[in-house]
Amino acid sequence: MTATPSQPYSPFAGPARPAHPLAARRGPSPERRQRRERPVPPVRSPRSPRSSRPSVARDVLTLVALPLLAALALPAAFAGGGTRRWFGGRSESQRAEAQAAKDAAAAAFYELDTAQRDLRISIETITAVDDSPAARRVVSDFEALGRRIDEASQKYITAVDAHDLDRDELEASVAARARGELVAAKDELVRVKADLDRFEQSLGPLLGKAETQLARLAPAVERARQALLAASNALDSVRRSGLKADDLAARLAALGPELTKLNRGAGQHGVPETLERAERVSREAAAVRSEAEGLPERAAEIDHRLVSLRTRAQALTTRSGQVEPVLSELRRRFSAACWQDLQHVPEQAAENVRQAESKLKEARAAREAQRWPDAASLLATVRALLNSTDEAVSAAGDRLRRLNAVQKDPQQEIDRTRFAIRDAQRLAMAGRSTPDPREARPLDDSVTRLDRAVATLEGRHPDYWHFLTETEAVRRTVAGVVAQIREQRGGV
């Protein structure tokens, strides 16, 4: 249909195209020339009935033709101008599949990256606590997995950068190739993610141990700080009471560098070392606190020991003077073998008492200077000297008493020893027809030894001290046999 000049303008029709590309250059056709030469009809008045009927007809025809013209013009408008088709087509389907593969690969890449970052935290937790071969092997395995992750990630990034799926003129072959590369990259990411998950599951024991130690770290450090604070407070309290406690102050000051290392944290010194340091500081600070709190009582105890040991030294001085009369009686009534080993007692007792008094003076000076360890050590030396002197002085009197008893009635000592032998023999034969030679032989020897000791009592000046030492030795031997028998029979 050819539009006449009297027809209304339609925006959907568009400009008329020539039948041939060169038609525009040839000029108008003969028909168009005839129309241009045709005279223009006169314009009729709008009031004339004849002129109104054709106009109405033209309007009706125009309204009827508008939808048809629009339907014909729309496909040309959307398809023309070099634009691509919006719906359908093989290239669009390939583009959609490639985009879906790209989204799936991106999701796999994100999951792998997240898992790697989470696992790195676990590895750092293990290495901060554990330096065993197993922990070092875990680090090397994680580094190997990291290299695989880098390779898979690079493959994914290369595939994404190689193809622009939003390009207007995207060929179907290019979209298909992009889809294949992206699917392969996604599959590799998924495989590496599965290996990473299995590796993470194998870290359970090491990670649990590391987390347990990390959970102990903060409380241990806090306990160490509180122990140091309590020790410092106790030391201040002692000083306010007039005691210097310089040695305790020095020990507490030595813990200062340890507290500095604790404050720096486990990141610099390691978790195991920090835990060990915190426990050591807690123990030493607790010891300082305990000694500081007990220092007033310790000072009072040292004062009491000074007085007590001085009184004992004075008493031993008096008793040492009584040793010489005892030795005189022993010399007069018994043979030399009974008292010869006691000859040095008076001189040794006097020397020990003299040394004890000298150490007591030194201990008093250490107490005044509040050198508590020195005072305690000196008092221990004084006590040992006095104990040795007491034993020597007492030995002389005890020797005279025992010798008097055996001289008066040696049978009592003999009967006591024979009873011990017979009792051991009955125990050895209990439940047996013949004795065990390992038990019978020492008992028979004890009988013979006792008989020889009794024989020494004959004569004008018997060696009563030898007799007493022999009977004591026989009883010790018999007691050893009895203990052996009971041990073999289960403590019967």
Side-chain angles (χ1 to χ4, degrees):
M1 179 181 296
T2 303
T4 61
S6 62
Q7 289 177 342
Y9 168 75
S10 174
F12 299 99
R17 294 184 179 181
H20 192 272
L22 299 178
R25 299 180 182 179
R26 295 175 183 175
S29 63
E31 290 80 4
R32 289 183 179 181
R33 286 196 300 268
Q34 290 177 4
R35 282 198 298 270
R36 288 178 181 178
E37 295 174 358
R38 187 180 301 171
V40 179
V43 179
R44 297 181 181 182
S45 172
R47 293 181 181 180
S48 173
R50 288 185 179 181
S51 63
S52 64
R53 281 196 295 269
S55 177
V56 171
R58 284 195 302 269
D59 294 340
V60 172
L61 288 175
T62 299
L63 292 175
V64 172
L66 280 175
L68 180 60
L69 292 173
L72 294 174
L74 279 174
F78 284 104
T83 59
R84 67 171 185 263
R85 298 175 62 183
W86 283 19
F87 304 100
R90 184 169 180 272
S91 62
E92 292 302 322
S93 175
Q94 293 292 341
R95 183 198 301 272
E97 293 178 358
Q99 186 63 47
K102 180 180 179 181
D103 295 341
F109 175 79
Y110 176 76
E111 291 179 1
L112 179 59
D113 181 68
T114 302
Q116 184 186 20
R117 283 188 278 109
D118 293 343
L119 186 57
R120 181 175 288 108
I121 296 174
S122 299
I123 296 297
E124 291 174 354
T125 301
I126 293 174
T127 55
V129 174
D130 196 350
D131 192 27
S132 64
R136 291 193 293 270
R137 187 166 55 252
V138 162
V139 173
S140 62
D141 293 344
F142 181 69
E143 291 176 352
L145 274 174
R147 290 189 290 270
R148 287 189 56 195
I149 292 171
D150 293 341
E151 294 173 359
S153 300
Q154 185 60 42
K155 182 178 180 181
Y156 159 73
I157 294 172
T158 302
V160 170
D161 293 342
H163 304 287
D164 184 9
L165 300 182
D166 295 329
R167 185 163 51 88
D168 291 341
E169 298 297 334
L170 181 65
E171 294 82 358
S173 61
V174 175
R177 185 168 61 255
R179 174 183 175 278
E181 294 178 4
L182 289 168
V183 168
K186 185 263 294 180
D187 293 341
E188 181 64 19
L189 291 171
V190 170
R191 283 192 295 271
V192 176
K193 172 66 166 50
D195 293 341
L196 195 68
D197 291 340
R198 285 191 292 270
F199 177 71
E200 183 180 9
Q201 292 176 0
S202 68
L203 300 180
L206 288 176
L207 185 59
K209 178 182 176 182
E211 290 176 345
T212 300
Q213 291 197 11
L214 285 176
R216 292 171 47 203
L217 183 61
V221 172
E222 183 61 25
R223 284 195 299 270
R225 291 173 179 158
Q226 294 299 324
L228 285 172
L229 179 61
S232 178
N233 293 335
L235 194 59
D236 292 341
S237 177
V238 166
R239 285 175 168 175
R240 285 193 296 268
S241 66
L243 299 175
K244 292 189 297 185
D246 293 337
D247 57 330
L248 295 180
R251 288 167 56 185
L252 187 61
L255 297 177
E258 299 296 319
L259 178 61
T260 302
K261 293 178 181 179
L262 287 177
N263 291 333
R264 290 174 182 170
Q268 183 173 354
H269 301 285
V271 174
E273 292 79 2
T274 303
L275 277 174
E276 191 276 334
R277 180 175 291 108
E279 293 174 357
R280 185 176 66 254
V281 169
S282 296
R283 289 194 304 269
E284 294 179 3
V288 170
R289 175 189 177 184
S290 177
E291 292 184 27
E293 291 176 345
L295 194 56
E297 182 179 355
R298 185 180 184 185
E301 180 185 358
I302 288 177
D303 292 338
H304 174 73
R305 290 176 63 189
L306 281 169
V307 174
S308 176
L309 291 175
R310 179 170 295 279
T311 302
R312 187 180 177 190
Q314 294 172 353
L316 280 175
T317 301
T318 303
R319 288 182 59 197
S320 298
Q322 300 172 358
V323 174
E324 190 60 40
V326 172
L327 288 176
S328 298
E329 186 173 355
L330 287 172
R331 295 188 194 101
R332 181 173 56 84
R333 295 177 52 197
F334 300 97
S335 63
C338 296
W339 48 263
Q340 196 167 9
D341 58 321
L342 300 176
Q343 286 289 94
H344 67 285
V345 170
E347 296 80 5
Q348 188 64 44
E351 178 63 21
N352 288 347
V353 170
R354 187 189 62 78
Q355 292 183 8
E357 290 178 347
S358 175
K359 295 296 182 182
L360 279 173
K361 293 179 181 179
E362 295 179 14
R364 171 66 65 181
R367 163 63 182 90
E368 296 298 330
Q370 298 189 17
R371 292 184 286 108
W372 310 111
D374 293 343
S377 176
L378 289 168
L379 289 176
T381 302
V382 170
R383 183 174 183 178
L385 288 170
L386 295 181
N387 286 341
S388 175
T389 305
D390 193 6
E391 291 174 1
V393 171
S394 299
D398 182 67
R399 177 78 58 86
L400 179 59
R401 179 185 59 80
R402 294 181 64 187
L403 289 175
N404 286 333
V406 74
Q407 184 184 38
K408 182 178 180 181
D409 185 12
Q411 191 61 39
Q412 184 177 358
E413 185 73 12
I414 297 171
D415 293 341
R416 177 186 176 191
T417 306
R418 290 192 186 282
F419 176 80
I421 295 174
R422 285 195 299 269
D423 188 60
Q425 290 173 340
R426 283 194 298 268
L427 180 62
M429 292 298 297
R432 296 177 180 178
S433 58
T434 57
D436 189 338
R438 294 174 299 177
E439 302 164 358
R441 185 176 297 109
L443 294 178
D444 293 343
D445 293 342
S446 296
V447 173
T448 303
R449 190 174 181 181
L450 176 61
D451 292 340
R452 285 199 301 267
V454 172
T456 61
L457 296 179
E458 299 176 359
R460 185 174 180 181
H461 296 289
D463 190 349
Y464 292 107
W465 184 241
H466 174 75
F467 170 75
L468 289 174
T469 54
E470 280 294 293
T471 54
E472 285 183 356
V474 168
R475 288 195 294 269
R476 283 195 301 270
T477 301
V478 171
V481 174
V482 171
Q484 180 180 355
I485 293 173
R486 288 177 177 174
E487 182 179 358
Q488 292 175 354
R489 298 182 184 181
V492 177

